[in-house]
Amino acid sequence: MKNIVITGGAGFIGSHVVRLFVNKYPEYKIINLDKLTYAGNLANLKDIEDKPNYKFVKMDICDFDAFYKLMQDEQIDGIIHLAAESHVDRSIKDPFTFARTNVMGTLSLLQAAKLYWESLPEKYEGKRFYHISTDEVYGALEMTHPEGVPAPFSTKASSEAQHEAYGEDFFVETTKYNPHSPYSASKASSDHFVRAYHDTYGMPTIVTNCSNNYGPYQFPEKLIPLFINNIRHRKPLPVYGKGENVRDWLYVEDHARAIDTIFHNGKIAETYNIGGFNEWKNIDIIKVVINTVDRLLGRAEGEDLDLITYVTDRLGHDARYAIDSRKLQSELGWEPSLQFEEGIEKTVKWYLENEEWMDDITSGDYEKYYDDMYKGR
Ligand code: NAD
Ligand code: DAU
C-alpha cells in the first residue's frame, strides 16, 4: 500500500495524472490536494470521484500546518507536485501570486515532507518528492531553422528528421537555467529549492521539465482550447505578434504516462526532460486547429481563417522552446503514444463534444477576465 499526494490534481495535467494513478493502481491511496483556484475544476474528475482509492482534499499548498498534519494523518509516502499558477500572461500582470504559490508553496511542501519523513524510523527509505516543472525555465532558443519548423503534421519519421535538422539546438537536462517571465522565474526558483532539499537533507527528489501540453480539460485561457472555443463562437483569434513563436506540443496523456514511469523508475536526484519532438510555429498550429474545427462542425474547411487577428505581442515573448527527451526515452523506455494528427483530432473533438464543460468555465468571472485581457491588447 502506498499513500500518494498529487497536488494540483483538479487542474489540467493533474487531473490526467490522478485519473491514471487511480485507475492503474487500485492498491494505492491517491489524495488529490488542490486549492481549487480559478484553474481547478472537480468536474475534470467526475469519472473517478467515487473510486475507493481516491480522496479529494481542498487545501492551499502554502498552508504548512495543514499539510504537515495531512502527511501524518495519511502517512504519505510519495508526493507528485503539480499545483502551480501556470499561465504566463497572468504572471506578467500579477507576479506576486506566482512567487507565493510556486515558490513559497513548493518550499512549504518540502519542509513539511522533510519534518514528517525524518521523524519516521525508516526516514527517507521508500519515499519520493517528485516536482513537475516546465521547459520554460531554460529560457528561449533561437529560430535557427530557415523555414521555421517542418510543418504541418509531424510524424515519427519527421520528428527524427526534425532532430537532424536542428542538430543540438534543443533544451537538454544540463541546459543552464535562464527564465524570462515571472512564471518561469517562479518555476525555476521552485526547481532549485527541490534540488537543494536533496543536496542538503538527502530528500529523494526528482524534477522533470516538460514542453507544452494539449488535450482535454485544459483551461481555455491557453492557446488551443481558447482558440477552439473562439472558433466555435466565431470570436476573434488573438495571435500574439506575428505568430512566429515556436512551441513543442505533447499530448497530455503522454505526459501523464511519463510521470508514472518516472515516479516509479526514475533515479533519485535526476532531471528528465519530457517532450515529443513536435515543434510548431503558432500560426501553423492555429491554422490546423481552424481547419479541424471547421471540418468537425460541418463548416467549409478554412472558412474561419479570417478570425485570425494579430494583436500586441506578449511582453518578453520567448521565441522558441524545443525539448530533447532522448534521456527519458533511452533510460526509461518512455515514448509518446500519439502522432500529432491523432492528438489534435481527439482534442478538438473532445472540446466540441463537451460544450457544457467549456460553457461552465467560460461564463461568469472568466468571461470578464477574458474580455479585459483581450481589450488590453
Ligand atoms: P493548471 O493551471 O491547469 O492547474 C493548476 C492546479 O493547481 C489547479 O487545479 C489549481 O487549483 C491548483 N493550485 C493553484 N494554486 C494552488 C495552491 N496555492 N494550492 C493548491 N492548489 C493550487 O496547470 P497545468 O497546466 O495543469 O500545469 C500543472 C503543472 O505542470 C504546473 O506545475 C505547470 O508549471 C507544469 N507544466 C505545465 C505545462 C503545460 O503545458 N500546461 C507544461 C509543463 C509543465
Ligand atoms: O512550455 C510549457 C509551458 O506551456 C507551461 O509551463 C505553461 O504552464 C503553459 O501555459 C504553456 O505556456 P505557453 O505560454 O507556451 O502557453 P500558451 O498556451 O499561453 O501560449 C502558447 C503560445 O501561443 C505562446 O507563444 C503565446 C501564444 N498565444 C497564446 C494565447 C493564449 C497567442 O498567440 N494568443 C493567445 O491568445
Side-chain angles (χ1 to χ4, degrees), residues 39 85 94 116 120 122 139 148 152 184 215 247 256 264 272 276 279 287:
E85 290 292 339
D94 176 20
Y116 171 63
L120 301 174
E122 75 272 21
S184 52
R247 295 292 181 269
H264 289 98
Y272 297 91
E279 289 175 62
K287 287 178 182 164

Side-chain angles (χ1 to χ4, degrees), residues 86 134-136 183 212 222-223 238 240 247 282 314 317:
S86 70
T134 169
D135 57 1
E136 299 198 16
Y183 163 68
N212 283 60
K222 306 283 170 71
L223 182 77
Y240 299 167
R247 295 292 181 269
N282 289 343
R314 176 183 274 174
H317 198 172

